[in-house]
Amino acid sequence: MLRHAACTAIMLALALSGCRQHGCGPGVCNDIVPGAIPQPLGTHACQWQQGQIAKAQLDKLTIYDREWSKGGTDLSLNGRRHLEELADVLPQLPNPVVVEETREPEKDAVRRSVVVDFLARRGVADAEHRVVTGRPEAEGLFGQEAPGIAQGMVGGNRSQNRVSPVGGFRGNFRGGLGGGLGLY
């Protein structure tokens, strides 16, 4: 009982004494405003992660050059699948669809019109105003880079991210690594 009372007294004294940094008196510190409450641990990390997730979500609204057959103006199978999924969710989203631009303005115009027509046929009423050409914010990776980067992210040694001739990076349009971070 005496030990418990002594511990309680010590804890109370420490709590009431305030900051005890060099040059600080009881309850007064040069760098902390009295009554200030620090933000919860991880507050800024969570904001950073949410920002990255939001950017990744917007990237799903980009039609990349690789989604066109042989670099032309016909959508590949994956490009059509991508647009079908977009057509389902675009009415609920305020963001535009971005068609990755090339160095050929004529090709860009044709690709944009292909996407507009595709979305309009699938019931996206304002498709003409929702589709733009431009540069995607995300930077692409070469396929052989992905396994090494993914291995480093999942627990490998980040300083030794080497490209592996075998292995794989499994993800898909709907979930990716996070499995549920998708728009759909």
Side-chain angles (χ1 to χ4, degrees):
M1 184 72 157
L2 183 59
R3 180 181 284 175
H4 179 68
C7 285
T8 303
I10 291 171
M11 297 290 280
L12 183 60
L14 288 173
L16 294 176
S17 68
C19 179
R20 291 290 188 180
Q21 292 179 350
H22 180 67
C24 294
V28 180
C29 285
N30 297 331
D31 60 343
I32 299 175
V33 178
I37 299 173
Q39 292 182 344
L41 186 62
T43 297
H44 297 292
C46 185
Q47 292 170 354
W48 176 82
Q49 290 169 339
Q50 292 302 317
Q52 296 301 313
I53 290 169
K55 285 185 175 187
Q57 302 292 26
L58 289 177
D59 188 59
K60 291 181 179 181
L61 298 174
T62 301
I63 307 300
Y64 283 97
D65 185 52
R66 67 178 178 265
E67 296 182 84
W68 300 92
S69 282
K70 301 178 185 177
T73 57
D74 293 324
L75 284 164
S76 68
L77 178 61
N78 287 336
R80 284 191 301 276
R81 285 181 189 155
H82 186 175
L83 279 178
E84 286 170 2
E85 290 177 346
L86 284 179
D88 292 338
V89 297
L90 274 178
Q92 293 87 31
L93 300 174
N95 310 86
V97 173
V98 178
V99 177
E100 182 179 21
E101 66 183 13
T102 65
R103 295 177 190 229
E104 303 172 49
E106 298 83 22
K107 182 192 286 187
D108 294 342
V110 172
R111 286 181 172 185
R112 181 185 175 280
S113 69
V114 167
V115 172
V116 168
D117 293 343
F118 189 99
L119 293 173
R121 283 193 312 268
R122 302 252 173 347
V124 177
D126 56 348
E128 179 66 35
H129 303 289
R130 300 282 305 270
V131 180
V132 298
T133 57
R135 293 192 59 191
E137 193 170 329
E139 294 183 24
L141 289 176
F142 293 107
Q144 65 268 25
E145 294 171 324
I149 291 171
Q151 182 179 4
M153 291 172 61
V154 176
N157 186 344
R158 291 178 193 257
S159 64
Q160 295 180 353
N161 280 344
R162 295 193 180 121
V163 176
S164 168
V166 293
F169 178 79
R170 295 191 183 250
N172 60 35
F173 185 73
R174 291 184 182 267
L177 272 178
L181 300 177
L183 288 168
Y184 320 114

